[in-house]
Amino acid sequence: MPLLRVEEAQGRILAHFRPLEPEPVEILDALGRVLAEDVISPLDIPPFTNSAMDGYALRAADTAGTSREKPVALRVLGNAAAGYPVDLAVVPGTAVRIMTGAPLPAGADAVVRFEDTSEAAGQAERDLESSILIEILRPAEVGENVRLAGEDVAAGEIVLRAGAVIRPQEVGVLASLGRKTVQVHRRPRVAVLATGDELVAIDEPVTPGKIRNSNEYSTAALVLRDGGIPIRLGIARDNIEHLTAKIREGLEQRVDLFLTSAGVSVGDYDMVKNVLASEGQMHFWQVAIKPGKPLAFGQVRGVPLIGLPGNPVAAMVAYEAFARPAILTMQGRTAQSHPALRAVLDEDVTNSGRRHYMRARVRRQDNRYHVTTRGSGVNVQGSGILSSMTWANCFVVVPETVTFLPAGSEVEVQIPDLMNI
Ligand code: AMP
Ligand code: MG
């Protein structure tokens, strides 16, 4: 069977996914999710013209030609505090003492900072409030230190568009519009099922011939990281009855996607393959990816199913390449690849005909990114060596067309989580 190119497999899978329907959520819960509506502002922001500084609101024309040597003195009409309307009106020769965020009094067109007035630091607040005259030490320009109503957002404006990813700044903008809830695409429910007679659960003893089921946890963690809701189904044994029952159990939980691990490779005892095939329409592929070559995709009772390989690192790499794009698409995300950068390779690397996602560590050094794979050895890059995933902070992606990369080459590095760099 010819190997399927990574993009070909991705394309065939993604053709079956669409953004899920919207649901209303509170804005903090919308973090990391995708807007499913255009958000229109019901008001001007700021809602009223106000001061950007603590100082004196005045008419710029009154300050023409003033200086520290020959200051203009203005009569202080009173105070304008943030949070309250002002009913003072500035007329020629007057000023209003104003705090940041306070409404600009009628007649004023500029604010001069305290620092540019005779109001000395350290002077008692009471004295300042009762002082009748203020000297302005610098000419003001019209509009100086004034924030105009609607300068940030105008009423009726589309502030955020459907498709926008909600980050902390979008949460803040939504709050400023008075939006408690917003429509975002629903998070997909993703069934996670490990298969294999050799597996024992996390709290069971490892008896001869058995290994712990780690895929269930790493896969569920990946689903969570990508915004999905993992529905953990535990372990299905390699027999028709148990596997069929587990798959039906998942289907009853209204999942949007099924992820299984193991039992899909060529030399495998093909129980998983048989059951999947008899429960739905399945395709079993060999993909030009390393690790992660065996992959299954299809539908069981109308629910898409991705059969990940069993080896723990292969399962994770195949998830990144094939399951993550599907899970993000269902959430309305269009940017699906991990952040990538170019880095200088520390050592020689060999490759043979598949796109190799090599575990690696990237670091910044001498103003460039450098990356090490610790070599192509099986003890590092073997598809079962899960501990090296905890050492790694990125993948070096070696194209399928490249057989040898000498030390010093520039390579593409994909970074699933920037926190680790
Ligand atoms: P298979 O795809 O069934 O041939 O499995 C490939 C390898 O992955 C075997 O060594 C399995 O023991 C291992 N494996 C399968 N499922 C899991 C799992 N859930 N957790 C850890 N290792 C697994
Ligand atoms: Mg197996």
Side-chain angles (χ1 to χ4, degrees):
M1 186 157 48
L3 294 185
L4 207 57
R5 275 176 52 83
V6 174
E7 282 79 8
E8 177 66 26
Q10 283 169 338
R12 288 189 196 178
I13 292 173
L14 275 183
H16 294 267
F17 293 90
R18 295 279 172 278
L20 298 174
E21 70 279 5
E23 63 179 2
V25 301
E26 296 211 352
I27 56 173
L28 266 184
D29 296 326
L31 189 66
R33 298 175 66 179
V34 177
L35 256 187
E37 60 169 324
D38 288 342
V39 174
I40 296 168
S41 179
L43 77 175
D44 279 344
I45 299 176
F48 51 89
T49 299
N50 67 90
S51 178
M53 288 283 176
D54 292 340
Y56 283 86
L58 42 68
R59 295 156 50 92
D62 281 352
T63 66
T66 191
S67 66
R68 284 178 190 274
E69 294 70 37
K70 278 190 70 184
V72 163
L74 300 177
R75 190 162 57 84
V76 180
L77 299 176
N79 276 278
Y84 302 94
V86 269
D87 53 7
L88 301 166
V90 173
V91 295
T94 67
V96 167
R97 192 165 178 272
I98 194 167
M99 299 300 137
T100 304
L104 198 72
D109 57 17
V111 172
V112 171
R113 305 178 307 161
F114 285 152
E115 294 89 320
D116 296 326
T117 71
S118 55
E119 179 163 335
Q123 207 172 329
E125 186 78 1
R126 196 162 19 85
D127 295 350
L128 294 167
E129 286 185 9
S130 59
S131 92
I132 298 169
L133 286 178
I134 186 74
E135 289 178 344
I136 309 300
L137 309 178
R138 223 201 65 187
E141 280 176 33
V142 173
E144 197 173 337
N145 297 325
V146 170
R147 301 191 285 218
L148 294 175
E151 74 173 17
D152 187 354
V153 175
E157 191 182 312
I158 298 182
V159 193
L160 302 172
R161 289 187 187 273
V165 177
I166 306 289
R167 301 166 297 171
Q169 50 269 52
E170 278 77 21
V171 173
V173 164
L174 288 165
S176 71
L177 301 180
R179 290 291 301 260
K180 275 187 93 166
T181 62
V182 74
Q183 296 281 341
V184 294
H185 292 286
R186 181 167 72 74
R187 298 167 62 177
R189 296 167 58 80
V190 182
V192 177
L193 178 63
T195 71
D197 279 347
E198 73 277 36
L199 303 178
V200 296
I202 197 164
D203 50 0
E204 280 171 7
V206 179
T207 50
K210 306 289 185 185
I211 59 164
R212 283 239 168 73
N213 164 23
S214 61
N215 288 352
E216 176 186 345
Y217 291 90
S218 51
T219 307
L222 287 164
V223 170
L224 268 181
R225 181 200 67 186
D226 290 337
I229 302 168
I231 312 288
R232 292 192 291 121
L233 299 172
I235 302 164
R237 298 304 168 198
D238 288 325
N239 67 68
I240 294 174
E241 296 71 32
H242 198 225
L243 198 49
T244 309
K246 280 289 184 188
I247 286 176
R248 291 183 181 166
E249 186 187 323
L251 293 173
E252 278 163 17
Q253 304 210 43
R254 295 173 291 104
V255 295
D256 302 291
L257 171 65
F258 228 109
L259 296 179
T260 64
S261 72
V264 291
S265 47
V266 181
D268 227 327
Y269 186 57
D270 20 13
M271 190 59 65
V272 179
K273 281 183 176 173
N274 286 343
V275 172
L276 292 181
S278 71
E279 289 289 301
Q281 304 82 48
M282 293 299 303
H283 309 281
F284 298 91
W285 296 332
Q286 300 288 306
V287 186
I289 189 171
K290 186 180 174 183
K293 182 165 73 165
L295 188 77
F297 177 69
Q299 267 104 33
V300 280
R301 314 253 175 115
V303 176
L305 183 148
I306 301 176
L308 302 170
N311 276 304
V313 181
M316 291 192 75
V317 168
Y319 172 94
E320 297 281 14
F322 307 110
R324 171 181 152 87
I327 288 172
L328 294 184
T329 296
M330 284 191 277
Q331 294 170 84
R333 289 267 296 266
T334 46
Q336 286 155 0
S337 40
H338 286 301
L341 49 82
R342 311 278 303 167
V344 181
L345 193 59
D346 278 356
E347 62 279 314
D348 291 354
V349 153
T350 56
N351 188 33
S352 54
R354 290 193 267 158
R355 188 171 309 172
H356 195 175
Y357 288 77
M358 300 185 78
R359 278 145 274 173
R361 274 193 81 84
V362 66
R363 64 190 185 280
R364 189 141 177 104
Q365 186 183 316
D366 309 328
N367 253 349
R368 295 193 74 174
Y369 286 105
H370 294 258
V371 66
T372 178
T373 63
R374 293 200 297 199
S376 314
V378 186
N379 52 343
V380 181
Q381 300 295 342
S383 62
I385 310 291
L386 189 55
S387 63
S388 62
M389 282 291 278
T390 69
W391 162 80
N393 65 4
C394 65
F395 292 111
V396 164
V397 186
V398 186
E400 46 275 49
T401 47
V402 169
T403 51
F404 179 71
L405 283 170
S409 325
E410 215 184 59
V411 290
E412 184 189 307
V413 167
Q414 282 189 14
I415 306 167
D417 58 316
L418 286 167
M419 292 176 286
N420 242 347
I421 306 292

